[in-house]
Amino acid sequence: MLASSSRVFLRTATAMGGRTAVKALAARAASSSFGAVTTNKTPVYSASKRFFSASPSNASDDPRYQYSISKTFTGTDACLKAGIAPLGITGPSTVYKNLSYPELFEHEQKNKEGVVAAAEYGPTFEVDTGKYTGRSPKDRFIVKNPGSETAANVDWNDINMPAEPKVFDELYAKSVAHMNSRETVYVFDGYCGASPGSRRKVRFVTEYAWHQHFVTNMFIRPATAEELVDFEPDFTIINTCSQIDEDWERHNLHSETAVVFNPDAKKGIVLGSYYGGEMKKGIFGLMNYWLPMEGKLPMHCSANVGEKGDVALFFGLSGTGKTTLSADPHRYLIGDDEHGWDDDGVFNFEGGCYAKTINLSEKTEPDIYRAIKTDALLENVSMEGPDNVPDYFNISKTENGRVSYPIFHIDNYWKPQIAGHPNNIIFLSCDAFGVLPPVAKLSSEQAMYHFLSGYTAKVAGTERGIKEPVPNFSACFGAAFMTLHPTRYADLLREKLEKHGSSAYLVNSGWTGGPYGTGERMSIHTTRTCVDAILDGSIKDAEFHADPVFGFEVPVSLPGVEQKLLDPRSTWANPADYDEAEKKLASMYVNNFKKYEGVGSVDYTKFGPQIK
């Protein structure tokens, strides 16, 4: 019987090269130092040296090696040849552009940018992002250029905070000067958006190989080198995370960290934060600005497609089950986070996934767990022992441990990343007050009300200091990334929903029989059964009744779902307590929605709960 560590090692070696697995295990048994073991140049795990060679003997069918368009420019004109001289970056004598996955892995190790983790399905690079283990929303700014289209259209608030053009110019000059002091830089050219008619060309100039690795995972990789000939980016981010803004008070910013985007200049800079998500969410925010101007809808949602081409969208905040429910073994994953909806249908913004690793196990999230293998990138995950085994349950560093990985790490991903118009739109809520039914059908107007509300509830354990349920309303299920006023997105969603005949549903993955602490959480079986009924269309055969307060249509019965669950009031020990809780939640909805009264092309207020 193999010891646990040996089983992990064997699986690791197998993942890196099946023909060398047995030899790798034998070498480990023969030596306590586990020196490099190589057969036919297949990369094999070396626990002592922590270095991996990456020269495959035969990898024509492996997506890892199909992405191979890298170029290295050297000499005094390296920046000119790499296309970054117009940015003012002319100093580096070596520019690494669009490195392949094996090259990135080697650069990360050579530069000592992190450690190689002994993940169960393959050696995976891991980095520590310092004090920022998540985005720093109070340090994110958009340049407000007087008289510009941006100034007129951005919804300026405490999320979309304005920065003066002269401040951006100073910080941009600082970033460029730092890049010019370096001998080497990394450049990635790619796309945000799989739809050719809606995508944007993006460029990232970074100090670190792992940052290029991150954007290589998260954005859409060019298929051929020819695509990069005369590549003119629609937006460029220069990431000089090692630098800070010492003059932040004079610049009227909030700290020495600055993430500033100038849509009119088509440039952005990152200073002071190593967190990779700043680049991903920065471009997402810009897509939320650009696409609506063209009548296209950007969405913070996951999406999948069935064998018959039927498309489903899943909107939901953290803890609602969005990732789990969209990862359906009987359907293909289009993407897990950011999508667009244009005249041709739904398309993924990204080329990969960015998942939380807190309490991750193969049993609870098998797709994510198995995706953590070579070419995935771990951030802020605790390592155990001399072999650096990931411990996803150790959150002493942060509860926001993350992994990014290319979407081809998911077995049933939808390769085109583009599908038709959605048949079903599902709004997921984790209602900790025990009021909402497990599933309800929405009219198009009710769908807009719930889209603008973006409701879920936080419970103890989701954030520090929370002792009882707290309502969380996030417009469009992603208020932190909405660059325009939320009603702009709601109007677009209504137009598309009505034009294409999409059905909308509210699914509650939260509590029943009472609030959090008294009732019980909906079983994943119940929630999955409700979703399956939506996706296979059988829910349309059900008899419905209108909820007297919220107005949505609730099935009287649904195969596979306990009938009493479809009548939440009947699950409470005291129906009068339910009535009070329902009125309380309805009031929360109403109070939150007051900011939308009379705003936008349609006032959706009357399609929300009616309190008598």
Side-chain angles (χ1 to χ4, degrees):
M1 185 73 177
L2 287 173
S4 175
S5 60
S6 295
R7 291 197 301 271
V8 171
F9 187 81
L10 179 56
R11 180 172 282 175
T12 297
T14 302
M16 292 300 290
R19 290 178 294 176
T20 66
V22 176
K23 292 183 179 181
L25 185 60
R28 175 171 180 167
S31 171
S32 60
S33 64
F34 319 146
V37 181
T38 306
T39 302
N40 293 332
K41 295 184 179 181
T42 304
V44 177
Y45 181 43
S46 171
S48 64
K49 295 184 179 180
R50 292 288 186 270
F51 194 84
F52 301 80
S53 178
S55 300
S57 55
N58 183 10
S60 59
D61 296 328
D62 189 339
R64 177 176 199 244
Y65 300 106
Q66 290 173 356
Y67 174 63
S68 182
I69 58 172
S70 67
K71 286 189 177 182
T72 299
F73 301 97
T74 60
T76 56
D77 61 348
C79 294
L80 181 64
K81 290 185 289 187
I84 60 174
L87 298 171
I89 302 175
T90 57
S93 56
T94 303
V95 180
Y96 300 108
K97 191 169 186 179
N98 287 77
L99 292 182
S100 67
Y101 277 115
E103 290 170 327
L104 286 167
F105 204 16
E106 292 183 359
H107 276 247
E108 289 164 333
Q109 294 171 83
K110 181 180 178 181
N111 298 346
K112 298 180 180 180
E113 295 178 8
V115 299
V116 178
E120 186 169 356
Y121 283 86
T124 305
F125 204 73
E126 194 272 343
V127 296
D128 188 314
T129 64
K131 69 177 182 178
Y132 291 106
T133 58
R135 291 182 304 104
S136 183
K138 294 300 181 183
D139 294 310
R140 173 184 171 272
F141 297 86
I142 300 173
V143 178
K144 189 173 185 179
N145 293 292
S148 68
E149 182 184 74
T150 305
N153 285 286
V154 169
D155 184 26
W156 300 105
N157 51 38
D158 58 359
I159 294 173
N160 302 311
M161 298 178 292
E164 296 182 24
K166 64 180 181 181
V167 170
F168 176 79
D169 292 341
E170 284 187 36
L171 296 178
Y172 182 84
K174 181 181 181 69
S175 291
V176 168
H178 175 68
M179 286 299 191
N180 282 332
S181 72
R182 295 178 53 83
E183 295 181 1
T184 63
V185 294
Y186 293 87
V187 176
F188 173 82
D189 285 349
Y191 307 100
C192 183
S195 174
S198 300
R199 71 186 183 187
R200 293 298 191 272
K201 297 178 181 178
V202 290
R203 171 172 289 165
F204 299 88
V205 185
T206 67
E207 301 177 76
Y208 296 98
W210 84 258
H211 273 151
Q212 186 179 121
H213 184 172
F214 178 84
V215 295
T216 300
N217 280 347
M218 295 313 306
F219 291 89
I220 295 176
R221 299 163 288 278
T224 66
E226 287 70 27
E227 293 180 47
L228 299 185
V229 176
D230 299 323
F231 185 92
E232 290 292 335
D234 297 301
F235 201 84
T236 298
I237 291 180
I238 301 175
N239 190 323
T240 50
C241 55
S242 68
Q243 304 303 294
I244 60 174
D245 180 15
E246 299 92 342
D247 298 320
W248 62 272
E249 290 178 300
R250 178 173 63 83
H251 289 152
N252 198 29
L253 304 183
H254 295 152
S255 78
E256 60 188 16
T257 296
V259 181
V260 189
F261 295 90
N262 191 335
D264 299 303
K266 300 181 179 181
K267 299 172 186 174
I269 50 103
V270 177
L271 294 97
S273 174
Y274 289 75
Y275 184 66
E278 294 288 10
M279 295 181 287
K280 163 187 156 71
K281 290 302 185 183
I283 294 296
F284 180 36
L286 290 167
M287 291 293 279
N288 281 337
Y289 174 76
W290 291 322
L291 292 189
M293 299 297 181
E294 302 171 355
K296 302 168 183 177
L297 178 64
M299 302 172 292
H300 186 215
C301 68
S302 58
N304 63 26
V305 59
E307 293 281 358
K308 298 179 180 179
D310 55 300
V311 176
L313 305 180
F314 298 80
F315 290 86
L317 301 174
S318 179
T320 60
K322 175 169 65 78
T323 300
T324 301
L325 292 169
S326 61
D328 188 325
H330 304 296
R331 297 173 65 82
Y332 298 97
L333 182 71
I334 301 172
D336 78 331
D337 195 37
E338 301 167 3
H339 294 80
W341 187 354
D342 61 15
D343 290 340
D344 296 319
V346 170
F347 60 95
N348 195 358
F349 278 0
E350 303 178 307
C353 303
Y354 196 35
K356 290 185 177 181
T357 59
I358 183 172
N359 299 333
L360 179 65
S361 71
E362 190 166 16
K363 180 179 179 180
T364 57
E365 296 282 2
D367 288 333
I368 297 174
Y369 188 88
R370 294 166 190 162
I372 301 176
K373 56 187 178 182
T374 306
D375 301 334
L377 179 64
L378 290 165
E379 294 180 33
N380 304 310
V381 173
S382 296
M383 298 289 121
E384 300 296 330
D387 284 351
N388 291 328
V389 177
D391 183 353
Y392 305 118
F393 293 85
N394 181 347
I395 56 173
S396 56
K397 169 68 176 178
T398 178
E399 295 185 6
N400 195 41
R402 292 273 182 168
V403 60
S404 68
Y405 50 87
I407 198 166
F408 58 74
H409 279 199
I410 298 294
D411 288 338
N412 62 331
Y413 81 100
W414 186 247
K415 190 172 183 179
Q417 297 291 275
I418 304 172
H421 299 288
N423 302 71
N424 296 293
I425 298 171
I426 298 172
F427 299 133
L428 295 165
S429 171
C430 176
D431 175 29
F433 296 95
V435 169
L436 298 179
V439 62
K441 183 171 65 175
L442 306 173
S443 68
S444 61
E445 293 84 3
Q446 289 170 339
M448 297 312 100
Y449 185 93
H450 286 274
F451 179 63
L452 283 170
S453 296
Y455 165 72
T456 193
K458 299 176 183 178
V459 297
T462 58
E463 289 188 13
R464 292 178 183 175
I466 293 180
K467 305 297 183 183
E468 60 183 37
V470 176
N472 182 22
F473 293 96
S474 181
C476 311
F477 295 92
F481 319 115
M482 300 298 117
T483 316
L484 306 177
H485 192 276
T487 57
R488 299 278 291 272
Y489 307 104
D491 288 344
L492 276 170
L493 179 58
R494 177 180 56 83
E495 291 172 12
K496 292 186 176 298
L497 190 150
E498 293 179 347
K499 179 179 180 180
H500 300 288
S502 307
S503 299
Y505 297 87
L506 178 68
V507 171
N508 173 27
S509 61
W511 272 256
T512 186
Y516 171 82
T518 301
E520 296 181 352
R521 183 147 193 193
M522 300 280 184
S523 69
I524 186 63
H525 169 76
T526 295
T527 305
R528 177 67 77 182
T529 300
C530 292
V531 170
D532 287 346
I534 293 170
L535 299 182
D536 66 21
S538 61
I539 195 171
K540 295 181 179 179
D541 298 327
E543 178 186 349
F544 290 85
H545 71 90
D547 184 274
V549 174
F550 282 87
F552 42 52
E553 299 283 325
V554 182
V556 174
S557 64
L558 204 61
V561 178
E562 287 187 72
Q563 189 164 1
K564 67 176 184 179
L565 296 178
L566 294 165
D567 180 12
R569 189 173 187 268
S570 70
T571 66
W572 283 54
N574 185 348
D577 290 341
Y578 172 85
D579 294 338
E580 183 179 345
E582 184 178 38
K583 184 177 181 179
K584 179 180 178 181
L585 179 60
S587 296
M588 294 176 183
Y589 267 94
V590 170
N591 290 334
N592 171 72
F593 211 82
K594 286 180 178 178
K595 57 180 171 283
Y596 302 123
E597 291 179 359
V599 180
S601 62
V602 177
D603 187 345
Y604 297 104
T605 306
K606 62 182 179 181
F607 300 106
Q610 304 299 311
I611 304 171
K612 298 178 181 179

